[in-house]
Amino acid sequence: MSSVIATTRFSVLDRSRVRAGHDGPQALRDTVALAREAERLGYHRFWVSEHHSVPGVAGSAPAVLTAAIASATSSIRVGTGGVMLPNHQPLVVAEQFGVLESLFPGRIDMGLGRSVGFTDGIRRALGRGKEDADDFGAQLAELLGYFDASQRVHPQVHARPAEGLDVPAFVLATGRGARVAAEAGLPLVIANVRGEDAMLRAIEGYRASFRPSAQREHPYVVVSGTVAVAETTEEARRILLPEAWSTAYSRTRGEFPPLTPAEDVLTRPMTDRERALFDEALRGQVYGTEEEVADALEKVIGHSGADEFLVTTSTYDRAALLDSYGRLARLAGLGRGRRV
């Protein structure tokens, strides 16, 4: 194991993806089961996400799901990756995380993003518009102010029981998220969705403009991405196929469908556009044997200087997914008492 990997934290984000032939409630139960396994394997934290009215994603209420996961585990940190703050009133988010931290002290993370609903209809149902994402910085400041009693947007309003509690906040970088994280002095969570060069530039800008805060004295970078590990390179690639097809489908039809088996994806006829989007979704993913993945991770972590890697893999085959997480834990030396 390289020294870079040995000194990097590894964590898990699960989006509660629905699988063909299974329903949303089963996807949520699968997420809780995966959290238990992640804890057993030695991962540092386990996060869940927020999606509304998406056919292929059951994770619509991350604070509620976080409570279920915290109840089902005992030591792993749990939280959100993230709550989409423009969808909510900051007071309500503070109250929710205050309750979580009170019930599971020292284990709760509050990952926050600036996205709003996927479609106009969803945004109307949420009572939000695209412009609400532009106020993310102010919303974040108000939210954090409820924890340290500094918010002045609503005088004499207090978030109970959040006030006075220490809940680590993280900012998910989409668009201007990296700048907001730096100005707030919070950890940055970022993926290479716009390419590695763009990600590295955003990280460099974040570090250069970081302002120390009560939460974090120094910059902290969490790089997120898909990782698939298997006995052979081809088996690892197969793990990625269901999500890659779902991504291509969403780009042409506007919604994420349930995940289908890799065999179905391989035999599915695709238009030229669908094939291009499918290949694009596979590009840049980390997959292979343990040795191949270790080499790839060493490069990603080395180039970015990441303090932590957040694994976001989803697939149809649950056995293959669990095996992949087990192999990754082994190559990273997790569960051996190492502390980073």
Side-chain angles (χ1 to χ4, degrees):
M1 185 201 323
S2 74
S3 60
V4 171
I5 292 178
T7 55
T8 301
R9 287 171 169 165
F10 283 84
S11 299
V12 177
L13 168 67
D14 190 69
R15 291 184 291 144
S16 303
R17 293 291 270 113
V18 177
R19 295 177 291 150
H22 304 266
D23 59 14
Q26 182 61 54
L28 296 174
R29 292 190 291 270
D30 287 344
T31 292
V32 175
L34 180 59
R36 293 194 191 100
E37 181 66 5
E39 179 176 72
R40 187 188 71 81
L41 291 170
Y43 286 91
H44 182 63
R45 65 180 101 242
F46 190 97
W47 284 359
V48 295
S49 60
E50 175 185 340
H51 296 272
H52 297 284
S53 191
V54 179
V57 183
S60 58
V64 177
L65 187 51
T66 293
I69 292 167
S71 295
T73 55
S74 60
S75 59
I76 193 171
R77 297 195 63 86
V78 294
T80 57
V83 165
M84 296 299 114
L85 191 53
N87 289 338
H88 309 277
Q89 293 296 333
L91 172 63
V92 175
V93 177
E95 290 171 337
Q96 291 173 345
F97 280 86
V99 170
L100 287 169
E101 176 63 20
S102 298
L103 296 174
F104 308 100
R107 295 182 57 206
I108 301 300
D109 297 324
M110 184 171 62
L112 305 160
R114 62 183 296 270
S115 297
V116 290
F118 194 53
T119 66
D120 289 339
I122 295 171
R123 287 190 288 272
R124 286 194 297 270
L126 291 170
R128 296 293 185 268
K130 287 183 177 180
E131 67 279 1
D132 288 299
D134 297 332
D135 295 329
F136 179 62
Q139 296 160 359
L140 178 62
E142 180 184 341
L143 171 60
L144 297 177
Y146 284 116
F147 286 91
D148 63 12
S150 67
Q151 76 84 22
R152 296 294 180 265
V153 179
H154 302 287
Q156 299 182 333
V157 175
H158 300 267
R160 312 290 189 193
E163 190 170 300
L165 297 181
D166 180 16
V167 180
F170 298 73
V171 173
L172 279 62
T174 54
R176 289 171 288 181
R179 178 180 57 79
V180 173
E183 293 175 351
L186 296 177
L188 172 70
V189 184
I190 189 167
N192 69 343
V193 292
R194 295 179 175 87
E196 185 177 17
D197 289 344
M199 180 185 75
L200 295 178
R201 286 195 301 272
I203 292 173
E204 182 180 4
Y206 162 75
R207 291 195 175 106
S209 56
F210 183 86
R211 300 175 183 174
S213 68
Q215 288 225 9
R216 182 70 60 170
E217 184 177 352
H218 302 289
Y220 189 89
V221 175
V222 181
V223 169
S224 67
T226 298
V227 179
V229 196
E231 185 173 352
T232 68
T233 306
E234 182 55 32
E235 287 174 345
R237 184 178 182 275
R238 287 171 67 88
I239 294 174
L240 304 179
L241 299 183
E243 185 67 48
W245 165 247
S246 181
T247 300
Y249 184 99
S250 73
R251 296 280 299 277
T252 55
R253 295 170 177 82
E255 64 179 35
F256 281 90
L259 299 177
T260 56
E263 293 78 9
D264 291 356
V265 176
L266 288 170
T267 57
R268 181 185 301 275
M270 298 185 193
T271 65
D272 290 344
R273 175 164 168 73
E274 287 172 341
R275 175 61 64 181
L277 291 169
F278 177 74
D279 292 340
E280 180 183 332
L282 290 171
R283 197 172 300 124
Q285 308 287 18
V286 175
Y287 68 93
T289 63
E290 290 181 37
E291 182 178 351
E292 290 169 334
V293 167
D295 289 342
L297 285 174
E298 186 170 358
K299 292 176 182 176
V300 172
I301 296 169
H303 291 165
S304 64
D307 302 283
E308 184 172 339
F309 196 100
L310 181 67
V311 184
T312 62
T313 309
S314 297
T315 194
Y316 179 88
D317 188 335
R318 298 298 294 183
L321 181 67
L322 293 174
D323 180 67
S324 177
Y325 273 115
R327 291 174 182 272
L328 177 58
R330 183 166 59 209
L331 74 85
L334 306 184
R336 298 178 185 173
R338 78 172 175 104
R339 294 290 183 267
V340 295

